[in-house]
Amino acid sequence: MWKFLRHLFFPHESNNQRAKFLHPSSLVLTIGFFLGFQLLLSQLATGYPQILGYASQISPEDIVRLTNVQRTAAGLSEVKLDSELSTAAAQKAADMFARNYWAHVSPVGTQPWYFVTSAGYAYRYAGENLARDFSDAKSIVDAWVASPTHRENLLNSNYRDIGIAVVDGTLEGRETTLVVQLFGTKLSAAPAIAPAARIVQPVSAATSTVGIVTPKVSPFDVTKAVSLTLLIIFVTVLVIDLVAVYQKKVVRWTSKSFAHLLFMLALLIAAFIISKGQIL
């Protein structure tokens, strides 16, 4: 076993003074492994949703609380959870799943404000933030705050009410969790406070939430962990290779170490970004 590991990860006579892991053929195998692992992960999520799945445990109340933490820190008044805005947010999320789009405006031109008014909320001011592929409320709010346009929406002093919907379903061929955050201020009357909406399937499907099991592991987190592990192994082996070459004064006709590093980094960073949550 030690000989195999030395051949794979350490410069030695058996591998012509370059760790086998850094050879182009090994890198191709690693990439193939990663892509195959992603495919297997997708199949497992479909076959065993009770263990590995995309349904999150994001709490709408946590999003409201964290949003108000940001507003309070900025010297603004807190927004109150409004049942009509939450209904509008749920309808918007359901429409995104039903029409398979990731945008503020639907493919048929429906604006976010259509859902707000359809829910009975007559607004003077209104705004929308969207998020997908996140696994917790804090990451979502942090991402919104880090984006200038979303932060401006979240910290708008004109808003008095908020509506949240957290919806699990399939979008653009991928299982995901959508979060719709709507802000507003009514033309008149005080906002009605009610629990935020949470649905589990697109509105086009007649479903019940009874018996639904929340997955124990998120594929997004698994992908990030595997990507980071591969990156750490690659960088470690590369550093060992460079140090060994320097100490042994090994002369090579060609050295593709840095090219390999850039190639693998590009692959892993791309995979990490794909698995990372998105905001809109």
Side-chain angles (χ1 to χ4, degrees), residues 11 69 82 100 114 116 118 140 144 147 154 158-159 165 247 253:
V69 167
D82 183 270
N100 195 37
Y114 167 80
V116 174
S118 294
I140 296 172
W144 282 333
S147 166
L154 192 140
N158 290 323
Y159 298 143
Q247 290 181 342
W253 289 104

Side-chain angles (χ1 to χ4, degrees), residues 11-74:
H12 196 261
E13 289 83 358
S14 65
N15 52 34
N16 196 27
Q17 298 300 329
R18 180 188 289 278
K20 183 64 177 178
F21 186 73
L22 296 178
H23 287 203
S25 59
S26 297
L27 292 179
V28 171
L29 286 175
T30 301
I31 294 170
F33 161 79
F34 184 79
L35 295 177
F37 177 79
Q38 290 297 104
L39 180 61
L40 176 62
L41 201 63
S42 176
Q43 294 299 318
L44 288 174
T46 302
Y48 301 93
Q50 71 278 16
I51 298 174
L52 191 68
Y54 294 85
S56 68
Q57 298 187 45
I58 300 170
S59 166
E61 290 77 16
D62 282 344
I63 295 178
V64 175
R65 177 180 58 81
L66 292 169
T67 296
N68 281 327
V69 167
Q70 295 292 333
R71 290 179 64 87
T72 301

Side-chain angles (χ1 to χ4, degrees), residues 80-186:
K80 297 179 180 179
L81 196 57
D82 183 270
S83 60
E84 292 173 342
L85 279 182
S86 290
T87 297
Q91 291 175 349
K92 170 60 184 288
D95 188 68
M96 292 175 71
F97 279 122
R99 298 186 185 277
N100 195 37
Y101 68 96
W102 168 241
H104 288 294
V105 181
S106 81
V108 296
T110 305
Q111 299 281 342
W113 330 127
Y114 167 80
F115 302 101
V116 174
T117 55
S118 294
Y121 190 95
Y123 67 91
R124 183 181 300 274
Y125 303 104
E128 177 186 73
N129 283 337
L130 301 176
R132 63 180 288 186
D133 302 344
F134 286 90
S135 59
D136 64 276
K138 186 177 185 304
S139 298
I140 296 172
V141 176
D142 287 346
W144 282 333
V145 171
S147 166
T149 54
H150 294 83
R151 176 183 172 86
E152 181 179 356
N153 219 13
L154 192 140
L155 299 182
N156 192 318
S157 61
N158 290 323
Y159 298 143
R160 296 292 178 267
D161 305 323
I162 186 174
I164 301 291
V166 180
V167 189
D168 300 321
T170 302
L171 185 68
E172 298 175 336
R174 292 176 55 194
E175 293 290 330
T176 189
T177 298
L178 285 181
V179 178
V180 179
Q181 181 186 57
L182 289 174
F183 294 102
T185 298
K186 290 183 176 180

